[in-house]
Amino acid sequence: MEQTKSTNIILFSGDYDKAMAAFIIANGAAAYDHDVTIFATFWGLNAFRKDEKMTLPKGKMEKMFGRMMPRGAEKMGLSNMNFGGMGPKMIKKVMKKHQAMPLADLMEMAKEQDIKLVACTMTMDLLGLQKEELIDGIEYGGVAAYLAEAEDGNVNLFI
Amino acid sequence: MEQTKSTNIILFSGDYDKAMAAFIIANGAAAYDHDVTIFATFWGLNAFRKDEKMTLPKGKMEKMFGRMMPRGAEKMGLSNMNFGGMGPKMIKKVMKKHQAMPLADLMEMAKEQDIKLVACTMTMDLLGLQKEELIDGIEYGGVAAYLAEAEDGNVNLFI
Amino acid sequence: MEQTKSTNIILFSGDYDKAMAAFIIANGAAAYDHDVTIFATFWGLNAFRKDEKMTLPKGKMEKMFGRMMPRGAEKMGLSNMNFGGMGPKMIKKVMKKHQAMPLADLMEMAKEQDIKLVACTMTMDLLGLQKEELIDGIEYGGVAAYLAEAEDGNVNLFI
C-alpha cells in the first residue's frame, strides 16, 4: 500500500498574496489526498487572528504589537504594489471579477478539507498574541511539531 | 537504475535578486541531471514578460497592473537596497565586473538545459497577463501541475 | 539501520526575523539528529559578517555595498514593522522578557550543535564580501555544494 503523501507549509509572511499562495497550494495538495499542515509563525500568525478588537491583559509592548498588526486575513497587505492599502483592494476587486476565492474563503475550505492549522506558540509569545485572539479550530505547537511532520514530508515550503 | 532526481521551484517573487537565485539553483540542478521546473506565479510572472509594450484588449484594472509591473527580467527591482532602481544598476555593474550572468542570460541557459518554465494561469488571470505578453517556449498550468511534479521532487523551494 | 535525516536551509534574506526562523528550525532539526546545513547567500551573508569595521582592498562599488549592509546578525532589520530600526529593538526587548534567544546566541548554539554554515562564494564576490569579514568556523561553497546536500535532504527550505 502506498503511503499517504504530505505537504507542510511554514507561513512566516503576513502578506495577503503570500498567504493566498500558501492556502491555494495547501488546498490543492489536500484535494490530491496529501496530509497537509500549515504552521503559522511570526507575521503569518496575523492570518489566524480574529477580526474583532479585544481587551486582554498584556504588557505595553505586546499591546503595541497587537494594535499595529492586521487583525485577520482580510486586513493584510500585499508583498508588492501595496500602495498603502490600495493594492489589496485592487487585487480583491479583480479576484471577484475572476471568481477567485478571497483568503478568508480559502481558509474556510482548508478547514473543511481537514488541513491542520498550527500556530507557533513561541512566536505567539514574542508578538504577545493569546489564544483568545486567534480563530477557532487551530492547534498549537512549536518547531518540534513542525519537524515531526516535515521530516517525512513530500512538499515542504517556507512562505 | 536510479530514478532521475527533480527540482521544483515556485517563483513567487518579482525581485531581480530572488529570480537570480531561482535560476542559479535551477541551472545548477539541471547540470546535475535533475528534471527541473520553475513555476512562476504572482509577481514572479513578471520575469516571463516580454519587454515590449503591447496593446491588448483588457479591463481597466488589468491595464493598470500591466502598466505598473515590470516588463521582463531586466526591469525588475531588488528585494533589498533597491534605492528606487539604483540598486539593480549597481548589482548589474558588479555582476559584469565579476563576469556573473545577468538574469536574462540565466533564463536563456535554463531553456537550453530544458528546464521547464511554467506560468501559473490562475495568477495570470488575476494580474491580467495574457499569453501574448509572455516569452515564448513556456508552458501554462496551475497548482495541479505543480503538485504532480513536486510530490515526488527532491528539492522543492518557494522563492 | 535508518539513514540520518537532513535539513538544508538556504538563507537568502538579510532580515533579523527570517534569520531567527532559519536558526530556530536548524537548531530544532539538529536536536532531532538531522544533519543540518545553512547556506547563506545574497543578503543572508550579512548574518555571517563580523561586527567590526575593516579596511580591506576593495573596488568603489564593493566598498559602498560593504558600508550599506549590516555588519552581523544583531545589526539586521526586520522584514515587517522595521520602523527605521525601532522594530528590531522592540522585538529584542520582548525576546529578553520571554527569555527567547537572540540571533547571535542561536548562531552560537548552531555551531555547538555542529550545524554546517556555508557562505555562498558567488554572491560574496557580487557583494564584495571577503573571507576576512566573515565569522570564523564557516565553510565556503557554491550551488554544487548546496545541491549535493539538498538532493537527498528531508527538509529543504528557502528563507
Side-chain angles (χ1 to χ4, degrees), chain C residues 116-128:
Chain C
K116 217 188 321 180
L117 304 179
V118 183
C120 169
T121 45
M122 197 212 86
T123 46
M124 282 176 63
D125 258 16
L126 279 191
L127 301 175

mmCIF file with all atom_site columns, all heavy atoms in Angstrom, chain C residues 116-128:
data_model
loop_
_atom_site.group_PDB
_atom_site.id
_atom_site.type_symbol
_atom_site.label_atom_id
_atom_site.label_alt_id
_atom_site.label_comp_id
_atom_site.label_asym_id
_atom_site.label_entity_id
_atom_site.label_seq_id
_atom_site.pdbx_PDB_ins_code
_atom_site.Cartn_x
_atom_site.Cartn_y
_atom_site.Cartn_z
_atom_site.occupancy
_atom_site.B_iso_or_equiv
_atom_site.pdbx_formal_charge
_atom_site.auth_seq_id
_atom_site.auth_comp_id
_atom_site.auth_asym_id
_atom_site.auth_atom_id
_atom_site.pdbx_PDB_model_num
ATOM 1  N N   . LYS C 1 116 ? 26.376 22.898 9.897  1.00 0.00 ? 116 LYS C N   1
ATOM 2  C CA  . LYS C 1 116 ? 27.360 23.412 8.946  1.00 0.00 ? 116 LYS C CA  1
ATOM 3  C C   . LYS C 1 116 ? 26.878 24.756 8.412  1.00 0.00 ? 116 LYS C C   1
ATOM 4  O O   . LYS C 1 116 ? 25.753 24.867 7.926  1.00 0.00 ? 116 LYS C O   1
ATOM 5  C CB  . LYS C 1 116 ? 27.507 22.423 7.787  1.00 0.00 ? 116 LYS C CB  1
ATOM 6  C CG  . LYS C 1 116 ? 28.920 22.331 7.292  1.00 0.00 ? 116 LYS C CG  1
ATOM 7  C CD  . LYS C 1 116 ? 29.141 21.528 6.032  1.00 0.00 ? 116 LYS C CD  1
ATOM 8  C CE  . LYS C 1 116 ? 28.373 20.265 5.825  1.00 0.00 ? 116 LYS C CE  1
ATOM 9  N NZ  . LYS C 1 116 ? 28.738 19.619 4.528  1.00 0.00 ? 116 LYS C NZ  1
ATOM 10 N N   . LEU C 1 117 ? 27.697 25.778 8.544  1.00 0.00 ? 117 LEU C N   1
ATOM 11 C CA  . LEU C 1 117 ? 27.365 27.091 8.000  1.00 0.00 ? 117 LEU C CA  1
ATOM 12 C C   . LEU C 1 117 ? 28.204 27.320 6.756  1.00 0.00 ? 117 LEU C C   1
ATOM 13 O O   . LEU C 1 117 ? 29.436 27.281 6.828  1.00 0.00 ? 117 LEU C O   1
ATOM 14 C CB  . LEU C 1 117 ? 27.642 28.186 9.041  1.00 0.00 ? 117 LEU C CB  1
ATOM 15 C CG  . LEU C 1 117 ? 26.932 28.021 10.402 1.00 0.00 ? 117 LEU C CG  1
ATOM 16 C CD1 . LEU C 1 117 ? 27.314 29.173 11.333 1.00 0.00 ? 117 LEU C CD1 1
ATOM 17 C CD2 . LEU C 1 117 ? 25.418 27.956 10.235 1.00 0.00 ? 117 LEU C CD2 1
ATOM 18 N N   . VAL C 1 118 ? 27.545 27.520 5.624  1.00 0.00 ? 118 VAL C N   1
ATOM 19 C CA  . VAL C 1 118 ? 28.269 27.680 4.364  1.00 0.00 ? 118 VAL C CA  1
ATOM 20 C C   . VAL C 1 118 ? 27.970 29.050 3.765  1.00 0.00 ? 118 VAL C C   1
ATOM 21 O O   . VAL C 1 118 ? 26.803 29.436 3.648  1.00 0.00 ? 118 VAL C O   1
ATOM 22 C CB  . VAL C 1 118 ? 27.872 26.575 3.347  1.00 0.00 ? 118 VAL C CB  1
ATOM 23 C CG1 . VAL C 1 118 ? 28.693 26.700 2.071  1.00 0.00 ? 118 VAL C CG1 1
ATOM 24 C CG2 . VAL C 1 118 ? 28.022 25.191 3.952  1.00 0.00 ? 118 VAL C CG2 1
ATOM 25 N N   . ALA C 1 119 ? 29.012 29.768 3.401  1.00 0.00 ? 119 ALA C N   1
ATOM 26 C CA  . ALA C 1 119 ? 28.831 31.061 2.735  1.00 0.00 ? 119 ALA C CA  1
ATOM 27 C C   . ALA C 1 119 ? 28.953 30.856 1.235  1.00 0.00 ? 119 ALA C C   1
ATOM 28 O O   . ALA C 1 119 ? 29.896 30.202 0.760  1.00 0.00 ? 119 ALA C O   1
ATOM 29 C CB  . ALA C 1 119 ? 29.872 32.061 3.220  1.00 0.00 ? 119 ALA C CB  1
ATOM 30 N N   . CYS C 1 120 ? 28.010 31.414 0.489  1.00 0.00 ? 120 CYS C N   1
ATOM 31 C CA  . CYS C 1 120 ? 27.987 31.261 -0.967 1.00 0.00 ? 120 CYS C CA  1
ATOM 32 C C   . CYS C 1 120 ? 29.059 32.161 -1.586 1.00 0.00 ? 120 CYS C C   1
ATOM 33 O O   . CYS C 1 120 ? 28.981 33.390 -1.519 1.00 0.00 ? 120 CYS C O   1
ATOM 34 C CB  . CYS C 1 120 ? 26.606 31.655 -1.496 1.00 0.00 ? 120 CYS C CB  1
ATOM 35 S SG  . CYS C 1 120 ? 26.533 31.804 -3.278 1.00 0.00 ? 120 CYS C SG  1
ATOM 36 N N   . THR C 1 121 ? 30.051 31.546 -2.188 1.00 0.00 ? 121 THR C N   1
ATOM 37 C CA  . THR C 1 121 ? 31.201 32.296 -2.719 1.00 0.00 ? 121 THR C CA  1
ATOM 38 C C   . THR C 1 121 ? 30.809 33.185 -3.902 1.00 0.00 ? 121 THR C C   1
ATOM 39 O O   . THR C 1 121 ? 31.357 34.271 -4.059 1.00 0.00 ? 121 THR C O   1
ATOM 40 C CB  . THR C 1 121 ? 32.318 31.331 -3.139 1.00 0.00 ? 121 THR C CB  1
ATOM 41 O OG1 . THR C 1 121 ? 31.739 30.238 -3.882 1.00 0.00 ? 121 THR C OG1 1
ATOM 42 C CG2 . THR C 1 121 ? 33.026 30.758 -1.927 1.00 0.00 ? 121 THR C CG2 1
ATOM 43 N N   . MET C 1 122 ? 29.857 32.726 -4.701 1.00 0.00 ? 122 MET C N   1
ATOM 44 C CA  . MET C 1 122 ? 29.478 33.526 -5.864 1.00 0.00 ? 122 MET C CA  1
ATOM 45 C C   . MET C 1 122 ? 28.878 34.870 -5.435 1.00 0.00 ? 122 MET C C   1
ATOM 46 O O   . MET C 1 122 ? 29.220 35.921 -5.963 1.00 0.00 ? 122 MET C O   1
ATOM 47 C CB  . MET C 1 122 ? 28.453 32.772 -6.720 1.00 0.00 ? 122 MET C CB  1
ATOM 48 C CG  . MET C 1 122 ? 28.332 33.340 -8.127 1.00 0.00 ? 122 MET C CG  1
ATOM 49 S SD  . MET C 1 122 ? 26.639 33.152 -8.768 1.00 0.00 ? 122 MET C SD  1
ATOM 50 C CE  . MET C 1 122 ? 25.868 34.648 -8.114 1.00 0.00 ? 122 MET C CE  1
ATOM 51 N N   . THR C 1 123 ? 27.980 34.831 -4.429 1.00 0.00 ? 123 THR C N   1
ATOM 52 C CA  . THR C 1 123 ? 27.379 36.103 -4.012 1.00 0.00 ? 123 THR C CA  1
ATOM 53 C C   . THR C 1 123 ? 28.326 36.918 -3.123 1.00 0.00 ? 123 THR C C   1
ATOM 54 O O   . THR C 1 123 ? 28.198 38.134 -3.056 1.00 0.00 ? 123 THR C O   1
ATOM 55 C CB  . THR C 1 123 ? 25.998 35.908 -3.346 1.00 0.00 ? 123 THR C CB  1
ATOM 56 O OG1 . THR C 1 123 ? 26.061 34.847 -2.400 1.00 0.00 ? 123 THR C OG1 1
ATOM 57 C CG2 . THR C 1 123 ? 24.955 35.560 -4.395 1.00 0.00 ? 123 THR C CG2 1
ATOM 58 N N   . MET C 1 124 ? 29.282 36.261 -2.462 1.00 0.00 ? 124 MET C N   1
ATOM 59 C CA  . MET C 1 124 ? 30.328 37.020 -1.755 1.00 0.00 ? 124 MET C CA  1
ATOM 60 C C   . MET C 1 124 ? 31.051 37.916 -2.754 1.00 0.00 ? 124 MET C C   1
ATOM 61 O O   . MET C 1 124 ? 31.301 39.095 -2.488 1.00 0.00 ? 124 MET C O   1
ATOM 62 C CB  . MET C 1 124 ? 31.335 36.078 -1.087 1.00 0.00 ? 124 MET C CB  1
ATOM 63 C CG  . MET C 1 124 ? 30.855 35.458 0.205  1.00 0.00 ? 124 MET C CG  1
ATOM 64 S SD  . MET C 1 124 ? 32.065 34.269 0.865  1.00 0.00 ? 124 MET C SD  1
ATOM 65 C CE  . MET C 1 124 ? 33.492 35.335 1.201  1.00 0.00 ? 124 MET C CE  1
ATOM 66 N N   . ASP C 1 125 ? 31.384 37.339 -3.903 1.00 0.00 ? 125 ASP C N   1
ATOM 67 C CA  . ASP C 1 125 ? 32.014 38.093 -4.992 1.00 0.00 ? 125 ASP C CA  1
ATOM 68 C C   . ASP C 1 125 ? 31.162 39.289 -5.403 1.00 0.00 ? 125 ASP C C   1
ATOM 69 O O   . ASP C 1 125 ? 31.648 40.413 -5.485 1.00 0.00 ? 125 ASP C O   1
ATOM 70 C CB  . ASP C 1 125 ? 32.145 37.179 -6.218 1.00 0.00 ? 125 ASP C CB  1
ATOM 71 C CG  . ASP C 1 125 ? 33.555 36.657 -6.390 1.00 0.00 ? 125 ASP C CG  1
ATOM 72 O OD1 . ASP C 1 125 ? 34.344 36.748 -5.424 1.00 0.00 ? 125 ASP C OD1 1
ATOM 73 O OD2 . ASP C 1 125 ? 33.868 36.135 -7.471 1.00 0.00 ? 125 ASP C OD2 1
ATOM 74 N N   . LEU C 1 126 ? 29.886 39.024 -5.625 1.00 0.00 ? 126 LEU C N   1
ATOM 75 C CA  . LEU C 1 126 ? 28.978 40.076 -6.107 1.00 0.00 ? 126 LEU C CA  1
ATOM 76 C C   . LEU C 1 126 ? 28.866 41.225 -5.123 1.00 0.00 ? 126 LEU C C   1
ATOM 77 O O   . LEU C 1 126 ? 28.848 42.389 -5.501 1.00 0.00 ? 126 LEU C O   1
ATOM 78 C CB  . LEU C 1 126 ? 27.574 39.514 -6.315 1.00 0.00 ? 126 LEU C CB  1
ATOM 79 C CG  . LEU C 1 126 ? 27.307 38.764 -7.596 1.00 0.00 ? 126 LEU C CG  1
ATOM 80 C CD1 . LEU C 1 126 ? 25.828 38.529 -7.746 1.00 0.00 ? 126 LEU C CD1 1
ATOM 81 C CD2 . LEU C 1 126 ? 27.834 39.544 -8.785 1.00 0.00 ? 126 LEU C CD2 1
ATOM 82 N N   . LEU C 1 127 ? 28.752 40.882 -3.838 1.00 0.00 ? 127 LEU C N   1
ATOM 83 C CA  . LEU C 1 127 ? 28.564 41.922 -2.831 1.00 0.00 ? 127 LEU C CA  1
ATOM 84 C C   . LEU C 1 127 ? 29.912 42.416 -2.299 1.00 0.00 ? 127 LEU C C   1
ATOM 85 O O   . LEU C 1 127 ? 29.960 43.271 -1.419 1.00 0.00 ? 127 LEU C O   1
ATOM 86 C CB  . LEU C 1 127 ? 27.677 41.414 -1.688 1.00 0.00 ? 127 LEU C CB  1
ATOM 87 C CG  . LEU C 1 127 ? 26.279 40.949 -2.122 1.00 0.00 ? 127 LEU C CG  1
ATOM 88 C CD1 . LEU C 1 127 ? 25.517 40.347 -0.954 1.00 0.00 ? 127 LEU C CD1 1
ATOM 89 C CD2 . LEU C 1 127 ? 25.475 42.112 -2.707 1.00 0.00 ? 127 LEU C CD2 1
ATOM 90 N N   . GLY C 1 128 ? 30.994 41.861 -2.842 1.00 0.00 ? 128 GLY C N   1
ATOM 91 C CA  . GLY C 1 128 ? 32.318 42.330 -2.453 1.00 0.00 ? 128 GLY C CA  1
ATOM 92 C C   . GLY C 1 128 ? 32.685 41.952 -1.022 1.00 0.00 ? 128 GLY C C   1
ATOM 93 O O   . GLY C 1 128 ? 33.453 42.651 -0.363 1.00 0.00 ? 128 GLY C O   1
#
